[in-house]
Amino acid sequence: MNYKYEIINYDKNLPAKIMYLDLSSETHKTELHWHREPEIIYVVSGKAECPQNGETRIVEEGDFIFFNSEDVHLVRPVTGTRVKLVCVQLSFEYMRMFCKPIDSVIFDVNNRPEAKPAIIEILQKIAAVDVENDDYASLLHISYVNKIYYLLMKYCICFRRASNSVIIPKRDFSYAKTAIAYINENFKREIPLDEISSVVNLSPSYFSKYFKNVTQVSFSEYLANLRLENAIQDMLSKNSTVSAAAIENGFANVKSFITQCKKVYNCTPAQYKKKLLNR
């Protein structure tokens, strides 16, 4: 599971990263994550379930959700469905050329009627770009993304320290971010509860309650899911055996890897790998 600080790599020729995603609830399992760059998720078809800073929103076809820098979030299909998405990950470094104090900025999109319909119209155009057959699709992407930047910076900017415009998250995710960063660096070895709670300077009992309240899973379950996703990825990208993937990614033994995979995906690791390869 990817509740971690994610580094976003941009195409050097584009001022943003654009992804076209087709996700199924049967195979797309993820957990909360966060990154420095703002992100827009536009639903082309279907419905997306989008927890954001402790609140969950269902995003309908033709609408989008905006994640500000360091928002803790995830995007997944509604259970039992598929969803097609356009994901636009914006660049602070690009925006800095036009707005020097960009690190102190957040964007309030929902309360800006002059911007939101125009952004939706642009996202519809991005979704319609024929990226597979148009050699010059990147030119359209550049044009559309720059229009989004213009609308965001002209109409939607709020400054974090401005008392009359700051948007305050309903939950404090600072401890969780510290804990998750530590977990992602050390998941391949045993991490006792006492150790991770001391990292964030909380008592073990308080940390356990806090972590589950924020992430909606227990610390042990989160750690097992993180190991599961990385072990499956090793089987896909490195062709690792079930045994090697289990041991390399922190599972105590092969049985615990298989048990966790059955719990999450209702099949063994080998069966799940075959399902992904046959999509």
Side-chain angles (χ1 to χ4, degrees):
M1 301 299 176
N2 291 326
Y3 185 154
K4 58 186 179 181
Y5 181 91
E6 293 185 344
I7 297 175
I8 296 174
N9 297 313
Y10 294 92
D11 185 324
K12 63 181 181 180
N13 297 317
L14 294 176
K17 182 174 183 179
I18 299 175
M19 294 178 288
Y20 296 81
L21 306 173
D22 185 354
L23 307 178
S24 167
S25 64
E26 293 183 0
T27 56
H28 182 74
K29 308 288 184 181
T30 190
E31 289 294 340
L32 296 166
H33 64 276
W34 61 283
H35 38 73
R36 180 171 174 269
E37 294 78 6
E39 180 177 58
I40 302 172
I41 300 292
Y42 173 72
V43 178
V44 180
S45 64
K47 296 180 181 180
E49 183 180 11
C50 303
Q52 178 183 22
N53 292 338
E55 294 188 346
T56 298
R57 174 184 162 194
I58 302 298
V59 183
E60 304 278 349
E61 181 176 319
D63 198 2
F64 73 91
I65 188 168
F66 190 95
F67 299 119
N68 271 291
S69 174
E70 300 190 13
D71 278 356
V72 178
H73 65 279
L74 68 85
V75 178
R76 60 191 171 202
V78 171
T79 302
T81 69
R82 299 188 71 91
V83 63
K84 290 186 178 181
L85 309 169
V86 170
C87 173
V88 181
Q89 294 172 334
L90 304 173
S91 168
F92 266 149
E93 296 311 312
Y94 185 78
M95 286 188 281
R96 197 185 310 281
M97 293 190 293
F98 310 96
C99 178
K100 297 300 182 184
I102 193 66
D103 293 307
S104 300
V105 161
I106 53 177
F107 297 100
D108 181 8
V109 175
N110 292 325
N111 295 315
R112 297 297 189 270
E114 58 274 75
K116 187 170 182 179
I119 292 174
I120 289 177
E121 183 177 349
I122 296 168
L123 292 169
Q124 290 171 341
K125 292 179 179 179
I126 292 175
V129 173
D130 188 355
V131 293
E132 294 184 359
N133 300 307
D134 188 345
D135 293 336
Y136 302 103
S138 60
L139 292 174
L140 291 174
H141 282 162
I142 292 170
S143 172
Y144 296 147
V145 168
N146 275 317
K147 289 181 179 180
I148 290 176
Y149 281 130
Y150 172 81
L151 292 167
L152 290 175
M153 287 189 276
K154 184 171 179 64
Y155 298 111
C156 304
I157 280 181
C158 297
F159 287 92
R160 293 181 185 274
R161 296 180 182 178
S163 60
N164 63 343
S165 62
V166 66
I167 298 174
I168 302 173
K170 291 183 171 55
R171 297 185 187 181
D172 179 5
F173 286 86
S174 58
Y175 293 121
K177 289 177 180 178
T178 300
I180 293 304
Y182 188 84
I183 294 168
N184 277 273
E185 291 175 0
N186 297 281
F187 71 89
K188 293 186 178 183
R189 65 170 178 83
E190 182 182 2
I191 307 177
L193 178 60
D194 287 348
E195 178 181 335
I196 188 63
S197 59
S198 67
V199 168
V200 294
N201 199 29
L202 297 174
S203 70
S205 60
Y206 184 85
F207 173 78
S208 293
K209 294 177 182 177
Y210 162 82
F211 191 88
K212 187 168 185 178
N213 183 50
V214 168
T215 66
Q216 301 176 17
V217 294
S218 67
F219 161 65
S220 59
E221 186 71 7
Y222 179 87
L223 181 57
N225 287 339
L226 178 63
R227 288 168 172 164
L228 171 63
E229 183 164 299
N230 281 274
I232 292 293
Q233 187 59 41
D234 280 356
M235 291 177 62
L236 291 169
S237 62
K238 301 178 182 178
N239 203 28
S240 298
T241 64
V242 173
S243 177
I247 301 305
E248 176 63 24
N249 289 283
F251 284 103
N253 48 55
V254 176
K255 182 179 178 180
S256 59
F257 176 26
I258 294 174
T259 299
Q260 188 65 20
C261 193
K262 287 182 176 179
K263 182 178 180 180
V264 175
Y265 295 115
N266 298 314
C267 59
T268 67
Q271 290 169 337
Y272 185 60
K273 175 183 177 180
K274 183 177 180 180
K275 183 186 295 186
L276 290 178
L277 292 176
N278 290 335
R279 285 185 62 189

